[in-house]
Amino acid sequence: MGPRALGLLPWLLALVLALAPEGRLQGPVAVLRVLDGDTVELQGLGPVRLIGIDAPESTYNHHTAGPEEVRLGLEAKAFLARLLQGRKVWVELDAQERDRYRRVLAYLYLEDPRGDWIHGGRRFLQVNLELVRAGWAEPYTVPPNVRYAALYLQAAR
């Protein structure tokens, strides 16, 4: 195998991993509102924090680095709102179901014929991965929820 083929190997591995969600998908669930670039409110679940990613803060708080972070956070929130507005999502949980703020921790999926993920004969986009691909979020791995950590790191590169 030549150097070029070896360079493609991580992408091929990521593609194979992305053919089907590893866990069980639950849904569809209505998106009520986007709270932040990595947090949404879902009908019947309340606040849901997207696993494996971190978007800039969209409000000033003790974690905010300054006005530039808030500007970027508002843009990330707007991107996520455009993606999810008026839509229903499917939810995949990982090892830890809630964080210390009692938010559900999840991977979210949108049905989309262009999606990389196949489940039940339908194609889906994974919302968490799309935020990383679009540059609005960075990988943020917090064990034990590490199911797609390698995929997010590869997408960020």
PDB file of all heavy atoms in Angstrom, residues 49-68:
ATOM      1  N   ARG A  49     -27.843  18.159  25.714  1.00  0.00           N
ATOM      2  CA  ARG A  49     -26.475  18.590  25.378  1.00  0.00           C
ATOM      3  C   ARG A  49     -25.906  17.601  24.383  1.00  0.00           C
ATOM      4  O   ARG A  49     -25.944  16.384  24.608  1.00  0.00           O
ATOM      5  CB  ARG A  49     -25.638  18.630  26.663  1.00  0.00           C
ATOM      6  CG  ARG A  49     -24.157  18.890  26.470  1.00  0.00           C
ATOM      7  CD  ARG A  49     -23.900  20.333  26.020  1.00  0.00           C
ATOM      8  NE  ARG A  49     -22.539  20.748  26.210  1.00  0.00           N
ATOM      9  CZ  ARG A  49     -21.531  20.442  25.401  1.00  0.00           C
ATOM     10  NH1 ARG A  49     -21.704  19.670  24.365  1.00  0.00           N
ATOM     11  NH2 ARG A  49     -20.327  20.908  25.655  1.00  0.00           N
ATOM     12  N   LEU A  50     -25.414  18.100  23.257  1.00  0.00           N
ATOM     13  CA  LEU A  50     -24.845  17.235  22.230  1.00  0.00           C
ATOM     14  C   LEU A  50     -23.508  16.685  22.707  1.00  0.00           C
ATOM     15  O   LEU A  50     -22.617  17.449  23.100  1.00  0.00           O
ATOM     16  CB  LEU A  50     -24.670  17.993  20.924  1.00  0.00           C
ATOM     17  CG  LEU A  50     -25.941  18.130  20.072  1.00  0.00           C
ATOM     18  CD1 LEU A  50     -27.009  18.936  20.765  1.00  0.00           C
ATOM     19  CD2 LEU A  50     -25.609  18.710  18.727  1.00  0.00           C
ATOM     20  N   ILE A  51     -23.381  15.369  22.670  1.00  0.00           N
ATOM     21  CA  ILE A  51     -22.178  14.677  23.150  1.00  0.00           C
ATOM     22  C   ILE A  51     -21.017  14.870  22.175  1.00  0.00           C
ATOM     23  O   ILE A  51     -21.191  14.842  20.961  1.00  0.00           O
ATOM     24  CB  ILE A  51     -22.432  13.165  23.297  1.00  0.00           C
ATOM     25  CG1 ILE A  51     -23.525  12.884  24.319  1.00  0.00           C
ATOM     26  CG2 ILE A  51     -21.154  12.416  23.670  1.00  0.00           C
ATOM     27  CD1 ILE A  51     -23.936  11.414  24.368  1.00  0.00           C
ATOM     28  N   GLY A  52     -19.822  14.993  22.736  1.00  0.00           N
ATOM     29  CA  GLY A  52     -18.592  14.915  21.954  1.00  0.00           C
ATOM     30  C   GLY A  52     -18.160  16.183  21.277  1.00  0.00           C
ATOM     31  O   GLY A  52     -17.153  16.185  20.570  1.00  0.00           O
ATOM     32  N   ILE A  53     -18.908  17.269  21.465  1.00  0.00           N
ATOM     33  CA  ILE A  53     -18.557  18.530  20.813  1.00  0.00           C
ATOM     34  C   ILE A  53     -18.703  19.689  21.793  1.00  0.00           C
ATOM     35  O   ILE A  53     -19.381  19.576  22.804  1.00  0.00           O
ATOM     36  CB  ILE A  53     -19.432  18.791  19.565  1.00  0.00           C
ATOM     37  CG1 ILE A  53     -20.895  19.021  19.963  1.00  0.00           C
ATOM     38  CG2 ILE A  53     -19.286  17.648  18.566  1.00  0.00           C
ATOM     39  CD1 ILE A  53     -21.754  19.556  18.837  1.00  0.00           C
ATOM     40  N   ASP A  54     -18.064  20.803  21.445  1.00  0.00           N
ATOM     41  CA  ASP A  54     -18.184  22.013  22.244  1.00  0.00           C
ATOM     42  C   ASP A  54     -18.209  23.195  21.294  1.00  0.00           C
ATOM     43  O   ASP A  54     -17.283  23.382  20.504  1.00  0.00           O
ATOM     44  CB  ASP A  54     -17.009  22.130  23.216  1.00  0.00           C
ATOM     45  CG  ASP A  54     -17.184  23.270  24.198  1.00  0.00           C
ATOM     46  OD1 ASP A  54     -18.326  23.501  24.643  1.00  0.00           O
ATOM     47  OD2 ASP A  54     -16.175  23.916  24.525  1.00  0.00           O
ATOM     48  N   ALA A  55     -19.292  23.978  21.365  1.00  0.00           N
ATOM     49  CA  ALA A  55     -19.415  25.193  20.566  1.00  0.00           C
ATOM     50  C   ALA A  55     -19.086  26.389  21.461  1.00  0.00           C
ATOM     51  O   ALA A  55     -19.215  26.310  22.683  1.00  0.00           O
ATOM     52  CB  ALA A  55     -20.833  25.309  20.011  1.00  0.00           C
ATOM     53  N   PRO A  56     -18.699  27.507  20.869  1.00  0.00           N
ATOM     54  CA  PRO A  56     -18.424  28.702  21.677  1.00  0.00           C
ATOM     55  C   PRO A  56     -19.672  29.136  22.448  1.00  0.00           C
ATOM     56  O   PRO A  56     -20.799  28.921  21.995  1.00  0.00           O
ATOM     57  CB  PRO A  56     -18.040  29.760  20.635  1.00  0.00           C
ATOM     58  CG  PRO A  56     -17.701  29.003  19.398  1.00  0.00           C
ATOM     59  CD  PRO A  56     -18.481  27.732  19.447  1.00  0.00           C
ATOM     60  N   GLU A  57     -19.466  29.771  23.595  1.00  0.00           N
ATOM     61  CA  GLU A  57     -20.575  30.268  24.406  1.00  0.00           C
ATOM     62  C   GLU A  57     -21.277  31.411  23.663  1.00  0.00           C
ATOM     63  O   GLU A  57     -20.619  32.269  23.075  1.00  0.00           O
ATOM     64  CB  GLU A  57     -20.064  30.785  25.750  1.00  0.00           C
ATOM     65  CG  GLU A  57     -19.464  29.715  26.634  1.00  0.00           C
ATOM     66  CD  GLU A  57     -20.498  28.720  27.138  1.00  0.00           C
ATOM     67  OE1 GLU A  57     -21.656  29.112  27.351  1.00  0.00           O
ATOM     68  OE2 GLU A  57     -20.127  27.542  27.305  1.00  0.00           O
ATOM     69  N   SER A  58     -22.606  31.434  23.712  1.00  0.00           N
ATOM     70  CA  SER A  58     -23.354  32.487  23.021  1.00  0.00           C
ATOM     71  C   SER A  58     -23.872  33.559  23.984  1.00  0.00           C
ATOM     72  O   SER A  58     -24.555  34.485  23.566  1.00  0.00           O
ATOM     73  CB  SER A  58     -24.518  31.882  22.233  1.00  0.00           C
ATOM     74  OG  SER A  58     -25.426  31.244  23.097  1.00  0.00           O
ATOM     75  N   THR A  59     -23.546  33.427  25.258  1.00  0.00           N
ATOM     76  CA  THR A  59     -23.914  34.430  26.254  1.00  0.00           C
ATOM     77  C   THR A  59     -22.707  34.679  27.157  1.00  0.00           C
ATOM     78  O   THR A  59     -21.826  33.825  27.267  1.00  0.00           O
ATOM     79  CB  THR A  59     -25.096  33.963  27.129  1.00  0.00           C
ATOM     80  OG1 THR A  59     -24.728  32.736  27.772  1.00  0.00           O
ATOM     81  CG2 THR A  59     -26.356  33.761  26.310  1.00  0.00           C
ATOM     82  N   TYR A  60     -22.702  35.824  27.779  1.00  0.00           N
ATOM     83  CA  TYR A  60     -21.634  36.114  28.728  1.00  0.00           C
ATOM     84  C   TYR A  60     -21.892  35.356  30.020  1.00  0.00           C
ATOM     85  O   TYR A  60     -22.993  35.372  30.553  1.00  0.00           O
ATOM     86  CB  TYR A  60     -21.561  37.612  29.023  1.00  0.00           C
ATOM     87  CG  TYR A  60     -20.995  38.403  27.884  1.00  0.00           C
ATOM     88  CD1 TYR A  60     -21.838  39.057  26.992  1.00  0.00           C
ATOM     89  CD2 TYR A  60     -19.621  38.477  27.678  1.00  0.00           C
ATOM     90  CE1 TYR A  60     -21.322  39.785  25.924  1.00  0.00           C
ATOM     91  CE2 TYR A  60     -19.095  39.189  26.620  1.00  0.00           C
ATOM     92  CZ  TYR A  60     -19.959  39.839  25.742  1.00  0.00           C
ATOM     93  OH  TYR A  60     -19.436  40.553  24.696  1.00  0.00           O
ATOM     94  N   ASN A  61     -20.886  34.640  30.485  1.00  0.00           N
ATOM     95  CA  ASN A  61     -20.947  33.959  31.780  1.00  0.00           C
ATOM     96  C   ASN A  61     -19.520  33.792  32.280  1.00  0.00           C
ATOM     97  O   ASN A  61     -18.584  34.298  31.660  1.00  0.00           O
ATOM     98  CB  ASN A  61     -21.691  32.618  31.677  1.00  0.00           C
ATOM     99  CG  ASN A  61     -21.024  31.652  30.716  1.00  0.00           C
ATOM    100  OD1 ASN A  61     -19.805  31.503  30.697  1.00  0.00           O
ATOM    101  ND2 ASN A  61     -21.827  30.976  29.899  1.00  0.00           N
ATOM    102  N   HIS A  62     -19.335  33.068  33.380  1.00  0.00           N
ATOM    103  CA  HIS A  62     -17.983  32.941  33.951  1.00  0.00           C
ATOM    104  C   HIS A  62     -17.035  32.098  33.091  1.00  0.00           C
ATOM    105  O   HIS A  62     -15.843  32.074  33.336  1.00  0.00           O
ATOM    106  CB  HIS A  62     -18.052  32.407  35.386  1.00  0.00           C
ATOM    107  CG  HIS A  62     -18.605  31.031  35.510  1.00  0.00           C
ATOM    108  ND1 HIS A  62     -19.951  30.744  35.445  1.00  0.00           N
ATOM    109  CD2 HIS A  62     -17.985  29.845  35.687  1.00  0.00           C
ATOM    110  CE1 HIS A  62     -20.127  29.448  35.581  1.00  0.00           C
ATOM    111  NE2 HIS A  62     -18.964  28.877  35.730  1.00  0.00           N
ATOM    112  N   HIS A  63     -17.568  31.422  32.050  1.00  0.00           N
ATOM    113  CA  HIS A  63     -16.714  30.647  31.132  1.00  0.00           C
ATOM    114  C   HIS A  63     -16.363  31.433  29.864  1.00  0.00           C
ATOM    115  O   HIS A  63     -15.478  31.034  29.122  1.00  0.00           O
ATOM    116  CB  HIS A  63     -17.415  29.353  30.712  1.00  0.00           C
ATOM    117  CG  HIS A  63     -17.665  28.403  31.833  1.00  0.00           C
ATOM    118  ND1 HIS A  63     -16.662  27.800  32.541  1.00  0.00           N
ATOM    119  CD2 HIS A  63     -18.828  27.944  32.353  1.00  0.00           C
ATOM    120  CE1 HIS A  63     -17.179  27.016  33.463  1.00  0.00           C
ATOM    121  NE2 HIS A  63     -18.498  27.090  33.381  1.00  0.00           N
ATOM    122  N   THR A  64     -17.080  32.504  29.587  1.00  0.00           N
ATOM    123  CA  THR A  64     -16.923  33.229  28.332  1.00  0.00           C
ATOM    124  C   THR A  64     -15.582  33.953  28.269  1.00  0.00           C
ATOM    125  O   THR A  64     -15.196  34.643  29.207  1.00  0.00           O
ATOM    126  CB  THR A  64     -18.065  34.251  28.159  1.00  0.00           C
ATOM    127  OG1 THR A  64     -19.309  33.575  28.309  1.00  0.00           O
ATOM    128  CG2 THR A  64     -18.021  34.898  26.797  1.00  0.00           C
ATOM    129  N   ALA A  65     -14.900  33.786  27.133  1.00  0.00           N
ATOM    130  CA  ALA A  65     -13.595  34.402  26.949  1.00  0.00           C
ATOM    131  C   ALA A  65     -13.686  35.874  26.560  1.00  0.00           C
ATOM    132  O   ALA A  65     -12.737  36.616  26.736  1.00  0.00           O
ATOM    133  CB  ALA A  65     -12.803  33.638  25.891  1.00  0.00           C
ATOM    134  N   GLY A  66     -14.820  36.304  26.013  1.00  0.00           N
ATOM    135  CA  GLY A  66     -14.966  37.700  25.615  1.00  0.00           C
ATOM    136  C   GLY A  66     -15.939  37.875  24.475  1.00  0.00           C
ATOM    137  O   GLY A  66     -16.606  36.918  24.059  1.00  0.00           O
ATOM    138  N   PRO A  67     -16.032  39.094  23.929  1.00  0.00           N
ATOM    139  CA  PRO A  67     -17.028  39.389  22.895  1.00  0.00           C
ATOM    140  C   PRO A  67     -16.864  38.561  21.624  1.00  0.00           C
ATOM    141  O   PRO A  67     -17.854  38.218  20.984  1.00  0.00           O
ATOM    142  CB  PRO A  67     -16.848  40.877  22.611  1.00  0.00           C
ATOM    143  CG  PRO A  67     -15.685  41.340  23.395  1.00  0.00           C
ATOM    144  CD  PRO A  67     -15.275  40.270  24.333  1.00  0.00           C
ATOM    145  N   GLU A  68     -15.634  38.239  21.250  1.00  0.00           N
ATOM    146  CA  GLU A  68     -15.418  37.439  20.035  1.00  0.00           C
ATOM    147  C   GLU A  68     -16.006  36.042  20.214  1.00  0.00           C
ATOM    148  O   GLU A  68     -16.624  35.495  19.297  1.00  0.00           O
ATOM    149  CB  GLU A  68     -13.926  37.361  19.699  1.00  0.00           C
ATOM    150  CG  GLU A  68     -13.614  36.532  18.467  1.00  0.00           C
ATOM    151  CD  GLU A  68     -14.171  37.108  17.167  1.00  0.00           C
ATOM    152  OE1 GLU A  68     -14.656  38.251  17.140  1.00  0.00           O
ATOM    153  OE2 GLU A  68     -14.119  36.388  16.151  1.00  0.00           O
TER     154      GLU A  68
END
